[in-house]
Amino acid sequence: MNYRPLRLPADSERLATFDASYSTSHIWRVEADGLALRLVEEALPEPFHKSYDASVFPEDVADSNFALAAEARDGSLAGFACVRLVPWNRSAELSALFVTPPHKGQGIGRALLEGAMAYARSQEMRCLWLETQTSNHPAIGFYQRAGFAFCGLNTMLYDPSEVASEEVALYLSHPLPA
């Protein structure tokens, strides 16, 4: 695997056709009790499948401060990560981290995440945070194993006409000690 900066416009076509889909047999369901919100892991009767609109990926890369590609031996794009700096509070947003389904489980996501964290540290950010969906059980487990902690959710972020009812915005963060 070759790790290199993402380049626009050179990588635009590969980004626009990138398969960032996932499937899962579990989700995190949000339960509300007054002002308390709780996440409950739930097994699904049938797998949940999510595909992303890759046509927006080149724009996401253009809007980032740092973008890293994982390029397979055949020259295909196996994964990528993007970081946006938020200077006012010295935080960095992991705005994208995707690995194609055939390349998952090979350490690519971990390498991309380490690259993103190293960049954020080099910019003297105090934490790296991200938003994902409660339906993205595989990603949530990945980030937890990498030391990220749950730090919030937004039950109204997504347009219900655009996403499944299982999808609620979940926020995770990781401190970046100097």
Side-chain angles (χ1 to χ4, degrees):
M1 198 60 55
N2 177 40
Y3 295 92
R4 62 165 179 80
L6 269 170
R7 294 182 291 265
L8 295 179
D11 289 319
S12 293
E13 186 177 321
R14 293 192 298 171
L15 284 166
T17 59
F18 188 86
D19 180 6
S21 65
Y22 68 88
S23 293
T24 182
S25 59
H26 290 79
I27 62 164
W28 289 97
R29 185 174 34 81
V30 177
E31 287 184 353
D33 182 12
L35 292 177
L37 296 171
R38 176 177 45 248
L39 294 171
V40 178
E41 188 175 19
E42 182 177 292
L44 299 171
E46 294 184 25
F48 177 85
H49 183 74
K50 170 83 175 187
S51 294
Y52 293 91
D53 176 7
S55 69
V56 301
F57 290 161
E59 184 179 316
D60 290 345
V61 170
D63 289 343
S64 67
N65 299 96
F66 174 81
L68 183 62
E71 189 174 60
R73 287 188 180 139
D74 66 2
S76 66
L77 192 60
F80 71 96
C82 298
V83 175
R84 284 189 203 126
L85 301 179
V86 185
W88 76 269
N89 67 359
R90 289 187 330 112
S91 71
E93 176 192 5
L94 183 66
S95 57
L97 194 157
F98 295 107
V99 176
T100 61
H103 291 98
K104 289 182 181 182
Q106 300 175 24
I108 297 167
R110 181 59 134 160
L112 290 168
L113 180 58
E114 287 171 3
M117 292 175 84
Y119 172 75
R121 275 191 201 95
S122 78
Q123 300 302 303
E124 300 181 358
M125 297 293 109
R126 63 182 179 79
C127 69
L128 182 66
W129 64 273
L130 63 96
E131 170 265 320
T132 190
Q133 303 83 37
T134 52
S135 60
N136 199 343
H137 195 271
I140 294 166
F142 166 78
Y143 291 121
Q144 287 179 313
R145 289 187 299 279
F148 281 74
F150 170 70
C151 64
L153 55 89
N154 183 340
T155 60
M156 299 299 287
L157 184 63
Y158 308 132
D159 181 343
S161 69
E162 304 275 325
V163 300
S165 62
E166 297 90 348
E167 296 182 279
V168 172
L170 180 73
Y171 296 90
L172 301 164
S173 64
H174 192 295
L176 298 172

